[in-house]
Amino acid sequence: QVQLVESGGGLVQPGGSLRLSCAASGFTFRLYDMSWYRQAPGKDRELVAVITSGDGRTNYADSVKGRFTISRDNAKNTVYLQMNGLKPEDTAVYYCKAARTRFYWGQGTQVTVSS
């Protein structure tokens, strides 16, 4: 059974940091491109960052470049999103996604940036 379980969300003040984790099981993690998406209330889900299988190339949305870092640990079947310099506009539910010939989604974790 495929599972993607996100964790690490919460409430943080502007300028703060959070590290999200997504633990995967039920498929061959190292063969899948992994990504983080987010969805704010009333908005479409948007791609935040992606890391490829194999060579681990990364790509980021312009809005998070220089502040967020995506990484993966294939030995632990886990992908991470380190978020620094958080802004109120980063408030959203964050989802991880695994993609190859098919794709899988996690259930999401809430990130709220507020003073």
Side-chain angles (χ1 to χ4, degrees), residues 63-109:
S63 58
V64 307
K65 278 181 182 176
R67 300 188 298 123
F68 290 12
T69 302
I70 188 171
S71 61
R72 64 190 297 160
D73 185 336
N74 288 339
K76 295 183 177 180
N77 288 354
T78 302
V79 62
Y80 305 96
L81 186 68
Q82 178 66 44
M83 305 187 294
N84 299 328
L86 283 161
K87 305 175 181 180
E89 52 263 42
D90 295 318
T91 295
V93 178
Y94 284 72
Y95 300 88
C96 70
K97 176 185 173 183
R100 196 186 181 200
T101 54
R102 58 180 65 187
F103 56 89
Y104 309 111
W105 289 96
Q107 83 290 346
T109 186

